[in-house]
PDB file of all heavy atoms in Angstrom:
ATOM      1  N   ILE A   1       1.351   3.050  -5.435  1.00  0.00           N
ATOM      2  CA  ILE A   1       1.751   1.784  -4.771  1.00  0.00           C
ATOM      3  C   ILE A   1       3.319   1.762  -4.563  1.00  0.00           C
ATOM      4  O   ILE A   1       3.779   1.464  -3.422  1.00  0.00           O
ATOM      5  CB  ILE A   1       1.311   0.558  -5.445  1.00  0.00           C
ATOM      6  CG1 ILE A   1      -0.223   0.517  -5.401  1.00  0.00           C
ATOM      7  CG2 ILE A   1       2.013  -0.708  -4.872  1.00  0.00           C
ATOM      8  CD1 ILE A   1      -0.826  -0.589  -6.303  1.00  0.00           C
ATOM      9  N   GLU A   2       4.026   2.095  -5.576  1.00  0.00           N
ATOM     10  CA  GLU A   2       5.486   2.165  -5.437  1.00  0.00           C
ATOM     11  C   GLU A   2       5.994   3.208  -4.438  1.00  0.00           C
ATOM     12  O   GLU A   2       6.900   2.927  -3.661  1.00  0.00           O
ATOM     13  CB  GLU A   2       6.067   2.426  -6.836  1.00  0.00           C
ATOM     14  CG  GLU A   2       7.674   2.362  -6.897  1.00  0.00           C
ATOM     15  CD  GLU A   2       8.162   2.623  -8.244  1.00  0.00           C
ATOM     16  OE1 GLU A   2       7.421   2.583  -9.245  1.00  0.00           O
ATOM     17  OE2 GLU A   2       9.387   2.913  -8.346  1.00  0.00           O
ATOM     18  N   ALA A   3       5.375   4.388  -4.488  1.00  0.00           N
ATOM     19  CA  ALA A   3       5.782   5.394  -3.510  1.00  0.00           C
ATOM     20  C   ALA A   3       5.484   5.012  -2.085  1.00  0.00           C
ATOM     21  O   ALA A   3       6.340   5.234  -1.186  1.00  0.00           O
ATOM     22  CB  ALA A   3       5.011   6.692  -3.805  1.00  0.00           C
ATOM     23  N   ILE A   4       4.285   4.423  -1.782  1.00  0.00           N
ATOM     24  CA  ILE A   4       3.991   3.952  -0.483  1.00  0.00           C
ATOM     25  C   ILE A   4       4.935   2.832  -0.036  1.00  0.00           C
ATOM     26  O   ILE A   4       5.485   2.829   1.099  1.00  0.00           O
ATOM     27  CB  ILE A   4       2.575   3.370  -0.379  1.00  0.00           C
ATOM     28  CG1 ILE A   4       1.540   4.551  -0.587  1.00  0.00           C
ATOM     29  CG2 ILE A   4       2.243   2.790   0.998  1.00  0.00           C
ATOM     30  CD1 ILE A   4       0.140   4.151  -0.838  1.00  0.00           C
ATOM     31  N   THR A   5       5.180   1.871  -0.882  1.00  0.00           N
ATOM     32  CA  THR A   5       5.990   0.755  -0.554  1.00  0.00           C
ATOM     33  C   THR A   5       7.452   1.196  -0.235  1.00  0.00           C
ATOM     34  O   THR A   5       7.962   0.723   0.774  1.00  0.00           O
ATOM     35  CB  THR A   5       6.027  -0.267  -1.695  1.00  0.00           C
ATOM     36  OG1 THR A   5       4.665  -0.683  -1.980  1.00  0.00           O
ATOM     37  CG2 THR A   5       6.872  -1.450  -1.338  1.00  0.00           C
ATOM     38  N   ASN A   6       8.000   2.027  -1.078  1.00  0.00           N
ATOM     39  CA  ASN A   6       9.412   2.437  -0.843  1.00  0.00           C
ATOM     40  C   ASN A   6       9.471   3.379   0.419  1.00  0.00           C
ATOM     41  O   ASN A   6      10.535   3.275   1.146  1.00  0.00           O
ATOM     42  CB  ASN A   6       9.875   3.214  -2.030  1.00  0.00           C
ATOM     43  CG  ASN A   6      10.054   2.396  -3.276  1.00  0.00           C
ATOM     44  OD1 ASN A   6      10.224   1.125  -3.140  1.00  0.00           O
ATOM     45  ND2 ASN A   6      10.079   2.954  -4.422  1.00  0.00           N
ATOM     46  N   ALA A   7       8.505   4.165   0.622  1.00  0.00           N
ATOM     47  CA  ALA A   7       8.544   5.036   1.834  1.00  0.00           C
ATOM     48  C   ALA A   7       8.298   4.423   3.174  1.00  0.00           C
ATOM     49  O   ALA A   7       8.840   4.730   4.180  1.00  0.00           O
ATOM     50  CB  ALA A   7       7.632   6.265   1.650  1.00  0.00           C
ATOM     51  N   ALA A   8       7.399   3.368   3.128  1.00  0.00           N
ATOM     52  CA  ALA A   8       7.002   2.724   4.406  1.00  0.00           C
ATOM     53  C   ALA A   8       7.853   1.542   4.797  1.00  0.00           C
ATOM     54  O   ALA A   8       7.796   1.030   5.948  1.00  0.00           O
ATOM     55  CB  ALA A   8       5.531   2.266   4.224  1.00  0.00           C
ATOM     56  N   ARG A   9       8.714   1.053   3.906  1.00  0.00           N
ATOM     57  CA  ARG A   9       9.452  -0.245   4.211  1.00  0.00           C
ATOM     58  C   ARG A   9      10.569  -0.016   5.097  1.00  0.00           C
ATOM     59  O   ARG A   9      11.345   0.908   4.915  1.00  0.00           O
ATOM     60  CB  ARG A   9      10.019  -0.750   2.856  1.00  0.00           C
ATOM     61  CG  ARG A   9      10.821  -2.035   3.041  1.00  0.00           C
ATOM     62  CD  ARG A   9      11.405  -2.575   1.749  1.00  0.00           C
ATOM     63  NE  ARG A   9      10.258  -3.004   0.808  1.00  0.00           N
ATOM     64  CZ  ARG A   9      10.262  -2.658  -0.420  1.00  0.00           C
ATOM     65  NH1 ARG A   9      11.165  -1.839  -0.945  1.00  0.00           N
ATOM     66  NH2 ARG A   9       9.231  -3.086  -1.209  1.00  0.00           N
ATOM     67  N   THR A  10      10.584  -0.827   6.146  1.00  0.00           N
ATOM     68  CA  THR A  10      11.736  -0.831   7.066  1.00  0.00           C
ATOM     69  C   THR A  10      12.516  -2.111   6.953  1.00  0.00           C
ATOM     70  O   THR A  10      13.599  -2.229   7.362  1.00  0.00           O
ATOM     71  CB  THR A  10      11.264  -0.729   8.647  1.00  0.00           C
ATOM     72  OG1 THR A  10      10.598  -1.873   8.891  1.00  0.00           O
ATOM     73  CG2 THR A  10      10.459   0.542   8.757  1.00  0.00           C
ATOM     74  N   GLY A  11      11.863  -3.097   6.321  1.00  0.00           N
ATOM     75  CA  GLY A  11      12.480  -4.405   6.190  1.00  0.00           C
ATOM     76  C   GLY A  11      12.248  -5.330   7.308  1.00  0.00           C
ATOM     77  O   GLY A  11      12.782  -6.480   7.344  1.00  0.00           O
ATOM     78  N   LYS A  12      11.560  -4.865   8.282  1.00  0.00           N
ATOM     79  CA  LYS A  12      11.234  -5.689   9.547  1.00  0.00           C
ATOM     80  C   LYS A  12       9.724  -6.110   9.443  1.00  0.00           C
ATOM     81  O   LYS A  12       8.881  -5.425   8.804  1.00  0.00           O
ATOM     82  CB  LYS A  12      11.545  -4.854  10.729  1.00  0.00           C
ATOM     83  CG  LYS A  12      12.939  -4.579  10.904  1.00  0.00           C
ATOM     84  CD  LYS A  12      13.380  -3.834  12.127  1.00  0.00           C
ATOM     85  CE  LYS A  12      14.797  -3.693  12.213  1.00  0.00           C
ATOM     86  NZ  LYS A  12      15.224  -2.372  12.668  1.00  0.00           N
ATOM     87  N   ILE A  13       9.408  -7.102  10.337  1.00  0.00           N
ATOM     88  CA  ILE A  13       7.976  -7.557  10.357  1.00  0.00           C
ATOM     89  C   ILE A  13       7.146  -6.441  10.876  1.00  0.00           C
ATOM     90  O   ILE A  13       7.522  -5.637  11.625  1.00  0.00           O
ATOM     91  CB  ILE A  13       7.964  -8.802  11.206  1.00  0.00           C
ATOM     92  CG1 ILE A  13       6.636  -9.418  11.041  1.00  0.00           C
ATOM     93  CG2 ILE A  13       8.211  -8.429  12.730  1.00  0.00           C
ATOM     94  CD1 ILE A  13       6.651 -10.896  11.586  1.00  0.00           C
ATOM     95  N   GLY A  14       5.925  -6.360  10.259  1.00  0.00           N
ATOM     96  CA  GLY A  14       4.990  -5.384  10.666  1.00  0.00           C
ATOM     97  C   GLY A  14       5.006  -4.044   9.816  1.00  0.00           C
ATOM     98  O   GLY A  14       4.366  -3.075  10.237  1.00  0.00           O
ATOM     99  N   ASP A  15       5.632  -4.116   8.697  1.00  0.00           N
ATOM    100  CA  ASP A  15       5.695  -2.891   7.853  1.00  0.00           C
ATOM    101  C   ASP A  15       4.281  -2.565   7.325  1.00  0.00           C
ATOM    102  O   ASP A  15       4.038  -1.395   6.966  1.00  0.00           O
ATOM    103  CB  ASP A  15       6.599  -3.176   6.700  1.00  0.00           C
ATOM    104  CG  ASP A  15       8.121  -2.838   6.976  1.00  0.00           C
ATOM    105  OD1 ASP A  15       8.328  -2.277   8.110  1.00  0.00           O
ATOM    106  OD2 ASP A  15       8.940  -3.123   6.168  1.00  0.00           O
ATOM    107  N   GLY A  16       3.453  -3.447   7.183  1.00  0.00           N
ATOM    108  CA  GLY A  16       2.038  -3.197   6.759  1.00  0.00           C
ATOM    109  C   GLY A  16       1.607  -3.847   5.562  1.00  0.00           C
ATOM    110  O   GLY A  16       2.204  -4.739   4.980  1.00  0.00           O
ATOM    111  N   LYS A  17       0.453  -3.405   4.986  1.00  0.00           N
ATOM    112  CA  LYS A  17      -0.145  -4.008   3.810  1.00  0.00           C
ATOM    113  C   LYS A  17      -0.779  -2.848   3.039  1.00  0.00           C
ATOM    114  O   LYS A  17      -1.181  -1.782   3.569  1.00  0.00           O
ATOM    115  CB  LYS A  17      -1.302  -4.968   4.230  1.00  0.00           C
ATOM    116  CG  LYS A  17      -0.708  -6.217   4.928  1.00  0.00           C
ATOM    117  CD  LYS A  17      -1.265  -7.456   4.256  1.00  0.00           C
ATOM    118  CE  LYS A  17      -0.744  -8.763   4.764  1.00  0.00           C
ATOM    119  NZ  LYS A  17      -0.315  -8.911   6.114  1.00  0.00           N
ATOM    120  N   ILE A  18      -0.996  -3.141   1.731  1.00  0.00           N
ATOM    121  CA  ILE A  18      -1.713  -2.255   0.833  1.00  0.00           C
ATOM    122  C   ILE A  18      -2.946  -3.059   0.187  1.00  0.00           C
ATOM    123  O   ILE A  18      -2.726  -4.168  -0.313  1.00  0.00           O
ATOM    124  CB  ILE A  18      -0.784  -1.701  -0.253  1.00  0.00           C
ATOM    125  CG1 ILE A  18       0.373  -0.883   0.353  1.00  0.00           C
ATOM    126  CG2 ILE A  18      -1.550  -0.794  -1.210  1.00  0.00           C
ATOM    127  CD1 ILE A  18       1.421  -0.498  -0.622  1.00  0.00           C
ATOM    128  N   PHE A  19      -4.054  -2.370   0.220  1.00  0.00           N
ATOM    129  CA  PHE A  19      -5.211  -3.039  -0.383  1.00  0.00           C
ATOM    130  C   PHE A  19      -5.776  -2.053  -1.442  1.00  0.00           C
ATOM    131  O   PHE A  19      -5.809  -0.865  -1.267  1.00  0.00           O
ATOM    132  CB  PHE A  19      -6.329  -3.191   0.647  1.00  0.00           C
ATOM    133  CG  PHE A  19      -5.944  -4.029   1.841  1.00  0.00           C
ATOM    134  CD1 PHE A  19      -5.423  -3.383   3.027  1.00  0.00           C
ATOM    135  CD2 PHE A  19      -5.988  -5.412   1.894  1.00  0.00           C
ATOM    136  CE1 PHE A  19      -5.037  -4.076   4.132  1.00  0.00           C
ATOM    137  CE2 PHE A  19      -5.563  -6.116   2.965  1.00  0.00           C
ATOM    138  CZ  PHE A  19      -5.088  -5.472   4.107  1.00  0.00           C
ATOM    139  N   ILE A  20      -6.172  -2.633  -2.591  1.00  0.00           N
ATOM    140  CA  ILE A  20      -6.641  -1.833  -3.689  1.00  0.00           C
ATOM    141  C   ILE A  20      -8.069  -2.373  -4.042  1.00  0.00           C
ATOM    142  O   ILE A  20      -8.314  -3.505  -4.188  1.00  0.00           O
ATOM    143  CB  ILE A  20      -5.728  -1.875  -4.892  1.00  0.00           C
ATOM    144  CG1 ILE A  20      -4.392  -1.270  -4.602  1.00  0.00           C
ATOM    145  CG2 ILE A  20      -6.372  -1.109  -6.075  1.00  0.00           C
ATOM    146  CD1 ILE A  20      -3.294  -2.183  -4.725  1.00  0.00           C
ATOM    147  N   SER A  21      -9.017  -1.467  -4.165  1.00  0.00           N
ATOM    148  CA  SER A  21     -10.373  -1.675  -4.549  1.00  0.00           C
ATOM    149  C   SER A  21     -10.926  -0.701  -5.551  1.00  0.00           C
ATOM    150  O   SER A  21     -10.429   0.337  -5.694  1.00  0.00           O
ATOM    151  CB  SER A  21     -11.261  -1.758  -3.276  1.00  0.00           C
ATOM    152  OG  SER A  21     -11.278  -0.629  -2.562  1.00  0.00           O
ATOM    153  N   GLU A  22     -11.957  -1.189  -6.247  1.00  0.00           N
ATOM    154  CA  GLU A  22     -12.552  -0.370  -7.296  1.00  0.00           C
ATOM    155  C   GLU A  22     -13.436   0.650  -6.652  1.00  0.00           C
ATOM    156  O   GLU A  22     -14.157   0.424  -5.659  1.00  0.00           O
ATOM    157  CB  GLU A  22     -13.337  -1.201  -8.249  1.00  0.00           C
ATOM    158  CG  GLU A  22     -13.898  -0.535  -9.424  1.00  0.00           C
ATOM    159  CD  GLU A  22     -12.808  -0.266 -10.516  1.00  0.00           C
ATOM    160  OE1 GLU A  22     -11.753  -0.991 -10.610  1.00  0.00           O
ATOM    161  OE2 GLU A  22     -12.840   0.782 -11.167  1.00  0.00           O
ATOM    162  N   VAL A  23     -13.484   1.929  -7.202  1.00  0.00           N
ATOM    163  CA  VAL A  23     -14.373   2.992  -6.815  1.00  0.00           C
ATOM    164  C   VAL A  23     -15.279   3.259  -7.961  1.00  0.00           C
ATOM    165  O   VAL A  23     -14.742   3.596  -9.116  1.00  0.00           O
ATOM    166  CB  VAL A  23     -13.581   4.265  -6.389  1.00  0.00           C
ATOM    167  CG1 VAL A  23     -14.507   5.373  -6.086  1.00  0.00           C
ATOM    168  CG2 VAL A  23     -12.703   3.966  -5.185  1.00  0.00           C
ATOM    169  N   THR A  24     -16.506   3.146  -7.784  1.00  0.00           N
ATOM    170  CA  THR A  24     -17.458   3.384  -8.920  1.00  0.00           C
ATOM    171  C   THR A  24     -17.899   4.825  -9.083  1.00  0.00           C
ATOM    172  O   THR A  24     -18.291   5.273 -10.214  1.00  0.00           O
ATOM    173  CB  THR A  24     -18.751   2.496  -8.771  1.00  0.00           C
ATOM    174  OG1 THR A  24     -19.346   2.747  -7.548  1.00  0.00           O
ATOM    175  CG2 THR A  24     -18.321   0.996  -8.851  1.00  0.00           C
ATOM    176  N   LYS A  25     -17.906   5.596  -8.031  1.00  0.00           N
ATOM    177  CA  LYS A  25     -18.405   7.000  -8.135  1.00  0.00           C
ATOM    178  C   LYS A  25     -17.729   7.843  -7.065  1.00  0.00           C
ATOM    179  O   LYS A  25     -17.663   7.376  -5.900  1.00  0.00           O
ATOM    180  CB  LYS A  25     -19.898   7.078  -8.038  1.00  0.00           C
ATOM    181  CG  LYS A  25     -20.431   8.410  -8.371  1.00  0.00           C
ATOM    182  CD  LYS A  25     -21.822   8.457  -8.908  1.00  0.00           C
ATOM    183  CE  LYS A  25     -21.960   7.748 -10.190  1.00  0.00           C
ATOM    184  NZ  LYS A  25     -21.617   8.379 -11.428  1.00  0.00           N
ATOM    185  N   VAL A  26     -17.339   9.060  -7.346  1.00  0.00           N
ATOM    186  CA  VAL A  26     -16.870  10.059  -6.405  1.00  0.00           C
ATOM    187  C   VAL A  26     -17.629  11.307  -6.654  1.00  0.00           C
ATOM    188  O   VAL A  26     -17.792  11.717  -7.734  1.00  0.00           O
ATOM    189  CB  VAL A  26     -15.358  10.277  -6.564  1.00  0.00           C
ATOM    190  CG1 VAL A  26     -14.898  11.391  -5.622  1.00  0.00           C
ATOM    191  CG2 VAL A  26     -14.552   9.005  -6.332  1.00  0.00           C
TER     192      VAL A  26
END
């Protein structure tokens, strides 16, 4: 999350969102 946030941030509107969900099996 920290890597995505730091790399994707421009400081302007529309930078995006991050969603986290549980994975039960791969």
Side-chain angles (χ1 to χ4, degrees):
I1 292 168
E2 184 178 344
I4 294 169
T5 302
N6 291 338
R9 181 181 292 130
T10 67
K12 297 185 175 139
I13 195 164
D15 275 351
K17 294 231 173 29
I18 299 173
F19 305 94
I20 296 119
S21 54
E22 189 72 34
V23 174
T24 57
K25 187 151 302 281
V26 175

